[in-house]
Amino acid sequence: MGFDTGKDCAGEAVEKIIIRENNVLAVETRSGLFVIAQALKHHTLVFFKLFTTTPLSFNADLNHAEYLCCVTPVKSFFKRAKILKLKIPPASDMEHYSRQNHLALDLTDYRLETFIAYAGTKDEIMIPHIPVGGFRLVDWKLQTLQHLSKEKDIDIINEYQFDTMGVYGELCERLYLSYRYGRYVEPLKDLRLGNVPKEYKVYFQIVAGQISEEEWKKLPLK
């Protein structure tokens, strides 16, 4: 799902920082572009729709910043990603972001399958071991609120986010795509729905293991 070698493309270990609740962070998406986040408990991160190429001089009132997404990255993400601590006052009353309703897959229909992105084109990408199943809306305790139909409940599916953990590379590219689109982007959800814009190609290459970390880091910002 991402780059998990524990070293950067030059072979040097990435410096590990200790992240505590309410730390304000700048997390690098693609090289040179950072997104602003605030840490909750258990290393959950709330990301704001705030992007910058100059994180150390960035300033904002996070109490009035627009919410982007809430993600709990895997532990290795914090070792691999370039993360800077910022001296910006944290937003107050943030814990409710980790208790939102969100999407989950129907466990009675859960299975792993191979998806093909851009099928029949020169950009075709085979993505193995993707979990699939019916959609359901759940609360933060994973209690089912509603079983969803892709045909009848597409507005609900589009409105709510999956509570997926982030892996280095995969999550970084997902956040970069959110910058490009001006909203939170979930390519794997869109893939299940049959929506695969050409801008998602690098993301799918990362998930499928078809691009190296070194190649990815050389990609320009657009």
Side-chain angles (χ1 to χ4, degrees):
M1 289 291 289
F3 309 115
D4 58 2
T5 62
K7 296 181 180 295
D8 67 14
C9 63
E12 298 295 332
V14 177
E15 182 181 358
K16 181 180 178 182
I17 65 172
I18 298 175
I19 296 174
R20 296 185 172 88
E21 184 180 4
N22 287 327
N23 282 167
V24 177
L25 311 167
V27 180
E28 191 173 41
T29 61
R30 279 198 193 173
S31 295
L33 179 70
F34 292 78
V35 61
I36 306 303
Q38 182 170 325
L40 304 182
K41 297 176 181 177
H42 311 301
H43 283 178
T44 296
L45 301 180
V46 171
F47 292 94
F48 299 98
K49 199 160 77 171
L50 297 171
F51 295 87
T52 179
T53 57
T54 56
L56 295 181
S57 60
F58 183 83
N59 195 17
D61 181 353
L62 297 188
N63 283 305
H64 295 93
E66 187 174 347
Y67 166 79
L68 183 65
C69 62
C70 184
V71 179
T72 303
V74 299
K75 289 183 179 180
S76 61
F77 177 86
F78 295 96
K79 298 178 182 179
R80 297 292 303 114
K82 185 174 183 179
I83 302 175
L84 306 174
K85 288 187 180 180
L86 304 184
K87 296 180 179 179
I88 297 176
S92 57
D93 188 27
M94 295 289 288
E95 191 60 35
H96 69 281
Y97 283 117
S98 65
R99 299 191 175 194
Q100 299 179 105
N101 295 342
H102 58 270
L103 296 177
L105 295 176
D106 193 335
L107 297 179
T108 61
D109 193 31
Y110 183 91
R111 60 195 183 281
L112 297 176
E113 288 189 357
T114 296
F115 276 76
I116 302 178
Y118 315 114
T121 73
K122 63 181 178 60
D123 296 319
E124 183 172 291
I125 301 172
M126 294 189 66
I127 310 170
H129 311 306
I130 298 298
V132 297
F135 292 94
R136 58 193 175 111
L137 184 65
V138 300
D139 62 18
W140 67 281
K141 294 182 179 179
L142 295 180
Q143 296 175 323
T144 300
L145 302 176
Q146 183 180 349
H147 291 276
L148 302 173
S149 163
K150 288 194 294 185
E151 292 74 26
K152 297 179 180 180
D153 302 309
I154 190 62
D155 289 342
I156 297 175
I157 294 171
N158 286 332
E159 178 182 357
Y160 287 92
Q161 304 170 1
F162 271 106
D163 185 21
T164 53
M165 299 188 77
V167 178
Y168 176 64
E170 179 274 332
L171 177 56
C172 296
E173 186 69 13
R174 199 191 323 165
L175 292 166
Y176 168 71
L177 286 170
S178 299
Y179 160 76
R180 289 198 62 182
Y181 278 85
R183 58 175 174 79
Y184 183 50
V185 172
E186 295 181 278
L188 289 180
K189 180 173 79 173
D190 289 343
L191 181 64
R192 294 184 182 98
L193 296 173
N195 179 25
V196 285
K198 63 180 182 180
E199 290 83 3
Y200 290 5
K201 180 180 177 180
V202 172
Y203 177 89
F204 291 135
Q205 286 178 319
I206 292 172
V207 173
Q210 293 185 3
I211 186 172
S212 70
E213 181 177 357
E214 184 174 12
E215 291 170 327
W216 174 65
K217 286 188 171 183
K218 291 179 180 178
L219 294 175
L221 298 177
K222 296 181 180 179

